[in-house]
Amino acid sequence: MTDVTIKRALLSVSDKTGLAELGRALAGYGVELVSTGGTAAALRDAGLAVRDISELTGFPEMMDGRVKTLHPKVHGGLLAVRDDAAHTAAMAEHEIGAIDLVIVNLYPFAATVAKGADRDEVIENIDIGGPSMVRSAAKNHRYVTIVTDPADYAELAAALESKAGATSLEFRKAMAAKAFAATAAYDAAIAQWFALTDQQHHFPPTLIGAHKLVSTLRYGENPHQSAALYVPGQGSAVSGLPQARQLQGKELSYNNYNDANAALELIAEFGTDQPAVVIVKHANPCGVAVAATPLAAWQAALACDSVSAFGGIVALNRLLDGPTAEAICEIFTEVVVAPGADDAALSAFARKKNLRLLLIDSLPDAGRKGLVTVPIVGGLLVQDRDSGMLTDDMLQVVTKRQPTEQELADCRFAWTVAKHVKSNAIVYAREGVTAGIGAGQMNRRDSARIAAAKAQEAAETHGWGAPRTVGSAVASDAFFPFADGLMAAVEAGATAVIQPGGSIRDDEVIAAADAAGIAMMFTGMRHFRH
């Protein structure tokens, strides 16, 4: 059996979008409509003839609607193998009629949780009969068509039209696959709520999640790798790049998403109090600045490492204006992320057809909680998101010299940036601008030297009398295991240091700082980023 003519349909939906139109389309093919409660009422309000489920089963809906479709005359009509003599005999003996089409979407469990409902209401929104019908119909897709998403009603109508009121096996197989994914995602949301909210497990005994495909990407990190973008199946509580509006340019690549997300995560650290610009290359910041205007912040961030900025990702925390957009267009830029853009900015970018402009509604909360995962061979690593924030009571001055107010501000700025630099991370900063960034080295001394070399190159490029590491603060994402990394920073001109502390050689490092006459603070928190 390949094509199946739809003679009887069972409809039971929470989301009634498109229900009346679908009901009319089915009635046009002479399909008998069987329905439950509110769905039946909605169909009748649309002027359609509907048979109540209680008439089909011979039992009333009971227990506040908890029991209405859990009946042999429903599931027998769904699960019967139509060309099996024993099944057809059982149907005849018990007066079970075949059900050819099921239109079901489930109680709004995730929406109920999201609105902050109490426990009793959440429990009542766990659908039982709906998933049972969906699974029965999907299992028996050789004979039964199952549709769970109102977005597929138009495709169903087209399928019926092409087959004069029947559906093909290929269509039923596709809808069955989608139906099982829908019930799996639904159960995952319930399991997650029980584990994380109700039972308050930090790491559940079974980690369950469901994600929905947004798009396939051109390729992954490299052309020989395939890639795709997914979002949480029940919707994301945080708005980010998948929810951004892309105004121009070709589709984003895997690397574009990865790098732009790194830029967005860092720019979120600065809030919206003062204009800030972040430039990212290969998931590492190569220039960060805060200034009086977005244009000034862009110019300062770019000056830190204009070589690395070529082909980079730019993120702003303020509306993108015309002058800033014009300046960004002077170099090759892959992606710009901003919370809005004025007409002048849009006009400037329109001349750069390959530049992607992503507009976000708001910056994500830099201190938000959550779990992050990393696959490894044979397993999955799971940890808390690094939402650690520096507070005044964490700062401990360990040197004889106290930092000045400007050094303290520069230390805080450098520390914020270092949190988003691949380990081993060293960041020099002065007056709200990165002076040099060293990332991803196998030892901290090399990171300090690379960052200083970048600062020296910037000074030569722009004709400055000295690199901006002179008089700067330097942040280290983890402790200095030896004094050599600290001394490399001192040689570059740093006068203040912020680091976690905690090395067995802390006394040696502190003594070296005192001998150099610089100020040093411990935070007691590290920000490894692998």
Side-chain angles (χ1 to χ4, degrees), residues 293-377:
T293 66
L295 176 58
W298 160 255
Q299 292 169 334
L302 177 63
C304 175
D305 186 355
S306 56
V307 174
S308 297
F310 183 84
I313 309 289
V314 178
L316 300 90
N317 65 344
R318 293 283 188 91
L319 181 136
L320 180 64
D321 56 41
T324 307
E326 292 284 358
I328 292 173
C329 287
E330 291 176 3
I331 72 165
F332 171 53
T333 301
E334 289 273 11
V335 181
V336 175
V337 183
D342 64 21
D343 290 342
L346 296 179
S347 178
F349 279 174
R351 298 193 297 271
K352 295 284 187 177
K353 299 298 184 182
N354 289 330
L355 188 153
R356 290 86 143 195
L357 175 60
L358 301 179
L359 299 185
I360 56 176
D361 291 331
S362 60
L363 297 177
D365 177 10
R368 69 188 184 280
K369 304 299 182 182
L371 298 178
V372 294
T373 61
V374 175
I376 60 173
V377 176

Side-chain angles (χ1 to χ4, degrees), residues 253-480:
S253 70
Y254 178 97
N255 291 334
N256 291 153
Y257 272 113
N258 191 50
D259 292 351
N261 185 68
L264 180 60
E265 291 273 25
L266 177 48
I267 200 68
E269 298 274 3
F270 296 101
T272 57
D273 292 340
Q274 189 176 10
V277 167
V278 169
I279 308 173
V280 163
K281 191 70 171 293
H282 295 302
N284 274 308
C286 57
V288 184
V290 295
T293 66
L295 176 58
W298 160 255
Q299 292 169 334
L302 177 63
C304 175
D305 186 355
S306 56
V307 174
S308 297
F310 183 84
I313 309 289
V314 178
L316 300 90
N317 65 344
R318 293 283 188 91
L319 181 136
L320 180 64
D321 56 41
T324 307
E326 292 284 358
I328 292 173
C329 287
E330 291 176 3
I331 72 165
F332 171 53
T333 301
E334 289 273 11
V335 181
V336 175
V337 183
D342 64 21
D343 290 342
L346 296 179
S347 178
F349 279 174
R351 298 193 297 271
K352 295 284 187 177
K353 299 298 184 182
N354 289 330
L355 188 153
R356 290 86 143 195
L357 175 60
L358 301 179
L359 299 185
I360 56 176
D361 291 331
S362 60
L363 297 177
D365 177 10
R368 69 188 184 280
K369 304 299 182 182
L371 298 178
V372 294
T373 61
V374 175
I376 60 173
V377 176
L380 186 72
L381 294 174
V382 182
Q383 67 170 347
D384 293 331
R385 182 179 175 276
D386 185 1
S387 56
M389 309 293 280
L390 186 63
T391 58
D392 289 340
D393 60 331
M394 293 168 59
L395 292 174
Q396 177 190 6
V397 179
V398 294
T399 50
K400 296 175 183 177
R401 184 168 84 74
Q402 296 285 318
T404 66
E405 286 299 315
Q406 185 60 57
E407 287 173 335
L408 180 59
D410 288 341
C411 279
R412 285 181 170 277
F413 177 86
W415 179 259
T416 299
V417 176
K419 176 181 174 182
H420 294 265
V421 176
K422 300 292 184 183
S423 302
N424 286 312
I426 291 291
V427 176
Y428 297 93
R430 196 179 79 189
E431 297 177 349
V433 180
T434 52
I437 300 173
Q441 297 305 303
M442 287 65 76
N443 67 73
R444 203 157 296 280
R445 183 196 63 185
D446 285 353
S447 288
R449 288 175 172 173
I450 288 171
K454 287 180 176 292
Q456 180 62 45
E457 183 179 359
E460 293 170 358
T461 298
H462 300 287
W464 300 332
R468 288 184 171 175
T469 50
V470 176
S472 69
V474 64
S476 175
D477 64 337
F479 61 65
F480 286 101

